[in-house]
Each structure stands twice: as C-alpha cells, then as structure tokens.
Amino acid sequence: MALHTNLAIYKVAYDLFKEVTDITRNMPRDFKLSLGGRIRDEALTIVTLIFRANVAQGTEKVPHLSALLEHVQVVELLLRLSRDMRFISTKQYASAIQFTDSAGKQANGWRRHSASSPVA
C-alpha cells in the first residue's frame, strides 16, 4: 500500500481542493459560506475518501470509491450552478472541472480494479 499522498488521484484531489478554496474566496458574501462552503466541504470529503480507500483491503475499497464518485458529481453540479449564477468565471469553472474529470476517471479505474481483485 502506497502512502495516500503519493497517489496520482490524491494529488489531483488536493489540487481540486486548493482550486475551489481559491475560487470560492471571491464569491459574493451571500453565497460564500453557503454555496462556497459546501463546495469546499465536498472537495475535502473527496480527499478524505481517497485516504479511506487506500487503507481499505481488496473489495472493501469499492464503497469508498463509489462515495468518492458521488462527491465528485456533487462538486461538478455546485460548480456549474456557481458558473451559471455568475459567481465564478467560465475560466475558473473550466479549471476546476479538469480536476474533477481527472479524479473521476482515476476513481472509476481504481474501483473497477478493486471490484475484481480478491481481498489480500
């Protein structure tokens, strides 16, 4: 088992967390804590689920990875709403979505591999 901080998916998720923290800093005051806080919380949950999946054995990783994928979709939804409401720019949205796409693809691959591997 590799350290979770050395995993490519962890690095992408951490970059997503940094990006959304920066993006939400400039949201309108009315939405900074509610919508912005929710986006940051979801991104932090993604990082946490990567750690949990990494320490789990075999097929026990699958529930953590499935939850991770759900949280990625929630972040994407909240970012899209933020862009549609013009709380963030299209450029900021595109930058953050690159991280969610990468994390989602890696999590899907990891989940498929874990689902087919025996418990060690």
Side-chain angles (χ1 to χ4, degrees):
M1 171 178 68
L3 282 174
H4 69 281
T5 56
N6 293 337
L7 299 173
I9 190 173
Y10 173 84
K11 292 174 183 175
V12 169
Y14 184 77
D15 287 342
L16 171 65
F17 183 56
K18 286 192 318 188
E19 183 77 13
V20 298
T21 299
D22 187 48
I23 287 172
T24 58
R25 181 179 312 140
N26 297 321
M27 281 185 158
R29 181 178 298 181
D30 295 349
F31 297 96
K32 189 181 291 191
L33 289 177
S34 58
L35 184 59
R38 177 72 190 267
I39 295 169
R40 287 188 308 271
D41 291 347
E42 292 289 334
L44 181 59
T45 301
I46 291 168
V47 174
T48 304
L49 286 167
I50 291 167
F51 168 75
R52 289 181 183 161
N54 191 49
V55 298
Q57 298 295 315
T59 57
E60 295 173 11
K61 296 176 186 292
V62 174
H64 300 295
L65 295 168
S66 295
L68 188 154
L69 289 166
E70 179 181 331
H71 288 280
V72 166
Q73 290 177 333
V74 170
V75 168
E76 289 176 345
L77 173 68
L78 295 172
L79 286 169
R80 182 171 181 180
L81 174 65
S82 298
R83 190 211 46 207
D84 291 346
M85 300 295 290
R86 296 195 174 131
F87 300 150
I88 65 173
S89 71
T90 301
K91 183 178 177 183
Q92 291 172 318
Y93 171 77
S95 176
I97 289 299
Q98 286 180 333
F99 294 123
T100 61
D101 284 346
S102 179
K105 288 176 185 176
Q106 291 180 55
N108 263 322
W110 193 8
R111 184 177 65 171
R112 278 193 304 274
H113 175 74
S114 296
S116 64
S117 67
V119 176

